[in-house]
Amino acid sequence: MEAALGELAVGRDDHVNAPAVVVRPDTVAEAVAALRDDLGLDHCACVTAQEYADRFETIYHLRDYDDPQREASVVVPTTRESPRTESAASAFRTCDWHEREAYDLLGIEYDDHPDLRRILLPETWQGHPLREDFDQDRPQVVTLEAHANPIADDARGGTDSGGGEVGRETMFLNIGPHHPSTHGVLHVETVLDGETVVDVDPDIGYIHRCEEQMCQSGTYRHQIMPYPDRWDWASAGLLNEWAYARAIEDLAEIDVPEYAQVIRTMGAELCRIASHMLAVATYALDVFGEFTAVFQYGIRDREKALGLLEELTGQRMMFNYFRVGGVAWDLPQPREAFFDQVRDELDTLPAAMREYYDLLASNEIFQTRTMGTGVLDAETAKTYGCTGPVARGSGVDYDLRRDDPYGYYDELDWDVVTEPDGDNLARVLCRMQEVEQSARIVRQCVDVLEDWPDDERVVQSNVPRTLKPERDREVYRAVEGAKGELGIYLRSDGTDKPARFKIRSPCFSNLQALPEMAEGEYVPDLVATLGSLDTIMGEVDR
């Protein structure tokens, strides 16, 4: 790193998961681009901003799409009196939204940023709520502002019947924030030239719930774990819990028993099945109003996975089953009956998946709505930091379960699914095939658990009652969530609560790429493309 950066590097920092280099605020774009080009760190996974007693700091978490275990951090300190630094958006487009969030919540200014304005809070908001000196009792007056057409003066050229040039007026269209096709409380500011989409700006923040700040107020051992279930609430709770568990277990150097790792892996893949089935079911509803067959079939198969998760955890959505160092309890008794129930449900999937392929992939209307629409090429997906089925649908072979192994995944036989076309259909096909791969993983986990010796079924390691990681230890850890890379950045201040807790939402980066997929297409294609991202707004806004 130091060789690649030369004089740009002014110091080193220690992070648990990756080497970190310190650069000056006026050399950020050059430094990040150098690591991208010279070292192949082409994935800006996350951007974290935080406040210290004597400075503000921005951290760019960089990884290699081909080998995510090759990772590094670029640390950019700036003064408290004038928290200003250069933007890295010219090197990675995903930094656009991440830096806007840092500006919104902490007030760090990013020079040369393409669109530095608030992203979660209204423009009229007073102050920056993650700052230590933020006055929470200060009244806020949020005025209703009309949304202006950003390209109102841009006349789209055309010709009349006599061959003379004419101008065409564009129209500003609000989609949402309560439109049924927005998958949550999302506002999409759209500009049309006739029926053609010429400008799209996703407007988020309508369901911002201060999850990061609440986690910073909770203790590592007991009070944080219930929160992750509520980020991506579409049946992905155990995947969310695992993201936090992996981060704190690395930060506090806690081992997890192998038996608990197998249970975690099985539960996580049941969550992935439930999440993908909901995505497929609602997508059919989005693009051709299919309620009677695909939607209800998808909900049926999702319910089967949720039923197994209820047997395992006692809950159907907000599981709170993982614990620091393992899981809350062992498999339900009698074990044989639970194993038989899991196998019986898995046995119904092959025939069900053939039905989905017949009802969707072979449906002429579905093909027309999804084939060749919402195209996202691999390089564009990478520069926006896209992950999960959105990236794999564009041919990006990136899956943290295989590439940065955790849990029991590296002991099992399964495949990473990719599709080359990058369109709406490709993303749906990825999810459907991933359901089949998840079923393979669950079945193998059941076989392993069934043969596990009775006296070696340890579900939790011996974890101290109060966790106080060493002061200024920092870590970024991620898991393969249902929507992509779900990461957590933690910094300890020596107490039993984190000094900084940052959530890297896969939906946040995936949604940012929407304009690349939708502009130049028709309004119905915009709705189909948005649905193909499988966005959960509770995770976007956090």
Side-chain angles (χ1 to χ4, degrees):
M1 287 175 63
E2 291 175 345
L5 294 177
E7 295 181 355
L8 298 177
V10 298
R12 293 291 301 270
D13 201 356
D14 292 324
H15 291 193
V16 173
N17 63 300
V21 63
V22 181
V23 303
R24 296 194 312 272
D26 60 343
T27 62
V28 176
E30 185 179 358
V32 170
L35 295 179
R36 179 197 64 196
D37 298 336
D38 297 344
L39 297 185
L41 300 177
D42 56 352
H43 176 31
C44 184
C46 184
V47 180
T48 301
Q50 55 188 330
E51 180 180 10
Y52 287 84
D54 61 341
R55 69 188 186 279
F56 286 91
E57 195 173 84
T58 305
I59 304 173
Y60 297 86
H61 307 270
L62 305 182
R63 311 185 84 163
D64 183 348
Y65 265 109
D66 293 331
D67 182 6
Q69 294 187 69
R70 295 183 65 244
E71 52 186 328
S73 296
V74 177
V75 181
V76 188
T78 185
T79 63
R80 289 189 60 86
E81 295 74 21
S82 178
R84 179 178 295 274
T85 179
E86 190 177 62
S87 171
S90 61
F92 291 100
R93 289 294 302 274
T94 191
C95 294
D96 182 340
W97 274 24
H98 282 278
E99 289 173 349
R100 283 178 59 190
E101 182 180 315
Y103 162 72
D104 193 357
L105 301 183
L106 280 160
I108 301 176
E109 302 270 356
Y110 293 90
D111 292 336
D112 300 322
H113 188 281
D115 186 20
L116 191 62
R117 55 191 170 93
R118 292 187 184 272
I119 189 170
L120 295 173
L121 299 172
E123 284 295 320
T124 55
W125 193 267
Q126 303 298 306
H128 304 279
L130 279 189
R131 282 197 178 184
E132 293 180 3
D133 60 358
F134 178 68
D135 183 4
Q136 298 189 31
D137 297 324
R138 180 177 184 174
Q140 297 285 346
V141 179
V142 180
T143 61
L144 178 63
E145 296 181 349
H147 295 286
N149 183 344
I151 57 173
D153 297 330
D154 181 13
R156 299 283 157 170
T159 58
D160 57 24
S161 58
E165 292 188 1
V166 297
R168 293 179 180 173
E169 293 185 355
T170 56
M171 181 179 71
F172 182 84
L173 176 67
N174 285 302
I175 301 179
H178 294 289
H179 191 279
S181 293
T182 55
H183 289 253
V185 191
L186 170 65
H187 176 211
V188 182
E189 300 178 8
T190 310
V191 180
L192 305 178
D193 176 5
E195 284 290 316
T196 302
V197 176
V198 294
D199 189 81
V200 173
D201 184 14
D203 179 22
I204 66 175
Y206 288 87
I207 195 167
H208 185 217
R209 295 167 298 153
C210 310
E211 290 281 356
E212 293 177 1
Q213 194 169 28
M214 288 192 291
C215 289
Q216 287 173 196
S217 302
T219 57
Y220 292 110
R221 176 73 191 277
H222 299 294
Q223 295 179 341
I224 294 178
M225 191 61 81
Y227 286 120
D229 289 308
R230 289 150 176 84
W231 303 340
D232 175 359
W233 54 61
S235 317
L238 296 186
L239 295 161
N240 305 346
E241 292 174 23
W242 206 341
Y244 169 62
R246 192 180 188 200
I248 182 56
E249 286 158 4
D250 276 13
L251 188 73
E253 299 180 309
I254 296 171
D255 293 326
V256 180
E258 189 174 26
Y259 180 71
Q261 296 282 30
V262 182
I263 296 177
R264 283 183 172 187
T265 303
M266 179 187 68
E269 293 309 306
L270 287 173
C271 280
R272 196 180 312 276
I273 291 173
S275 179
H276 283 351
M277 292 316 307
L278 181 62
V280 171
T282 56
Y283 193 60
L285 198 61
D286 283 348
V287 298
F288 67 110
E290 186 13 311
F291 181 81
T292 56
V294 178
F295 179 80
Q296 294 192 31
Y297 285 6
I299 297 301
R300 173 200 64 187
D301 291 319
R302 175 179 181 269
E303 286 295 306
K304 292 178 181 179
L306 291 180
L308 297 174
L309 288 166
E310 185 178 13
E311 288 290 323
L312 177 65
T313 70
Q315 299 286 342
R316 292 182 70 81
M317 285 191 69
M318 307 303 170
F319 304 108
N320 192 21
Y321 177 63
F322 282 21
R323 294 293 182 269
V324 178
V327 295
W329 48 72
D330 202 350
L331 301 177
Q333 297 288 347
R335 292 167 60 90
E336 294 76 13
F338 177 71
F339 293 143
D340 289 343
Q341 183 182 358
V342 175
R343 291 190 176 108
D344 288 344
E345 300 294 8
L346 294 179
D347 287 342
T348 67
L349 266 182
M353 297 312 297
R354 287 194 295 272
E355 287 181 329
Y356 293 119
Y357 285 115
D358 289 340
L359 290 167
L360 292 177
S362 300
N363 183 291
E364 184 178 349
I365 299 175
F366 191 81
Q367 292 175 357
T368 303
R369 294 295 309 278
T370 59
M371 291 179 64
T373 62
V375 176
L376 179 70
D377 65 81
E379 290 307 313
T380 303
K382 288 181 178 181
T383 192
Y384 277 94
C386 295
T387 53
V390 173
R392 290 192 287 273
S394 297
V396 180
D397 191 8
Y398 181 82
D399 191 310
L400 294 179
R401 295 173 293 174
R402 178 200 62 194
D403 300 331
D404 187 14
Y406 58 94
Y408 206 68
Y409 288 110
D410 56 347
E411 301 293 331
L412 305 175
D413 180 26
W414 57 283
D415 299 314
V416 174
V417 176
T418 62
E419 288 286 334
D421 295 330
D423 57 9
N424 291 326
L425 179 60
R427 291 185 278 275
V428 175
L429 292 176
C430 270
R431 293 187 181 93
M432 293 168 64
Q433 294 173 75
E434 285 183 12
V435 167
E436 297 172 308
Q437 295 301 320
S438 292
R440 286 179 62 188
I441 294 172
V442 172
R443 191 179 294 276
Q444 292 174 75
C445 287
V446 168
D447 293 340
V448 171
L449 292 169
E450 191 173 39
D451 296 334
W452 208 277
D454 292 349
D455 57 350
E456 297 179 13
R457 295 173 185 164
V458 182
V459 297
Q460 287 187 41
S461 59
N462 187 17
V463 180
R465 182 180 297 273
T466 301
L467 289 178
K468 293 184 177 180
E470 182 182 342
R471 183 181 181 85
D472 285 334
R473 277 176 65 87
E474 300 174 64
V475 67
Y476 171 79
R477 273 291 179 229
V479 301
E480 188 65 35
K483 277 72 174 174
E485 180 177 339
L486 176 59
I488 305 292
Y489 167 82
L490 287 175
R491 176 171 64 86
S492 170
D493 59 2
T495 69
D496 62 346
K497 299 177 181 179
R500 183 69 171 104
F501 190 103
K502 165 70 177 178
I503 305 165
R504 191 275 182 197
S505 157
C507 291
F508 185 80
S509 293
N510 292 346
L511 180 60
Q512 188 186 352
L514 178 63
E516 296 283 352
M517 295 178 267
E519 290 176 6
E521 300 195 339
Y522 295 112
V523 177
D525 299 330
L526 168 60
V527 173
T529 300
L530 178 60
S532 77
L533 298 179
D534 189 21
T535 301
I536 298 297
M537 295 310 298
E539 186 188 275
V540 173
D541 294 345
R542 290 153 285 126

